[in-house]
Amino acid sequence: MTNPTDANCIFCKIVAGLIPCHKLLETADTLSFLDVGPLSRGHALVIPKGHWVTLDQMPDQVVAQCATVARQVGAAIIKATGASGWNLLQNNGATAGQVVMHVHFHIIPRAEGDGLGFRWPAGKLAAEDAGELVRAITGAMR
């Protein structure tokens, strides 16, 4: 498979070796390295080597490889840092908080009382809306 690239993308430049990184793991389809703007000690990224902006654009086998690498690297970060948990975060589009427009997964080690958090203003799913959403979403998958 030939991976798409974007000459202006910082992650594509890292994959090409034009910008150095603190590499943790590399596979045929992925690269994992420490985040240079970490939210916590050991914060790492997993990226596909191909340039896709959002997760839904990626081939299934590359998505699977990213998930496998995230599991491996996440477990190793927990052992190495002594963190008691970790978040796996992946944003799709600027509205969702994506800053670098190349798919990437954040592995964020967590410790009790670390001050990190996120808003989760949970609503309530109405039965009528649920039925409409199920029909619309399953119809869109066909």
Side-chain angles (χ1 to χ4, degrees):
M1 169 175 78
T2 302
N3 285 325
T5 61
D6 178 341
N8 297 313
C9 172
I10 190 168
F11 288 166
C12 289
K13 290 176 183 179
I14 290 171
V15 169
L18 301 173
I19 296 175
C21 70
H22 299 283
K23 188 185 306 184
L24 298 172
L25 180 63
E26 184 171 10
T27 70
D29 295 323
T30 69
L31 179 63
S32 179
F33 50 92
L34 292 176
D35 192 314
V36 296
L39 294 177
S40 61
R41 187 168 183 270
H43 180 168
L45 300 174
V46 175
I47 66 169
K49 287 185 175 178
H51 183 82
W52 294 281
V53 175
T54 57
L55 188 64
D56 55 292
Q57 298 171 350
M58 291 173 57
D60 291 344
Q61 69 272 17
V62 180
V63 173
Q65 186 62 217
C66 285
T68 298
V69 169
R71 177 184 52 80
Q72 289 174 296
V73 172
I77 289 171
I78 293 300
K79 286 181 187 175
T81 65
S84 56
W86 57 289
N87 291 113
L88 181 63
L89 176 64
Q90 198 278 317
N91 302 318
N92 291 282
T95 304
Q98 185 176 5
V99 176
V100 177
M101 295 302 151
H102 180 123
V103 171
H104 55 289
F105 298 80
H106 292 266
I107 299 170
I108 306 166
R110 301 297 303 272
E112 194 69 40
D114 61 15
L116 296 176
F118 50 90
R119 293 182 334 122
W120 197 289
K124 187 166 183 153
L125 179 61
E128 182 179 301
D129 193 32
E132 183 180 318
L133 280 168
V134 167
R135 286 187 294 282
I137 293 167
T138 57
M141 287 190 277
R142 293 187 184 118

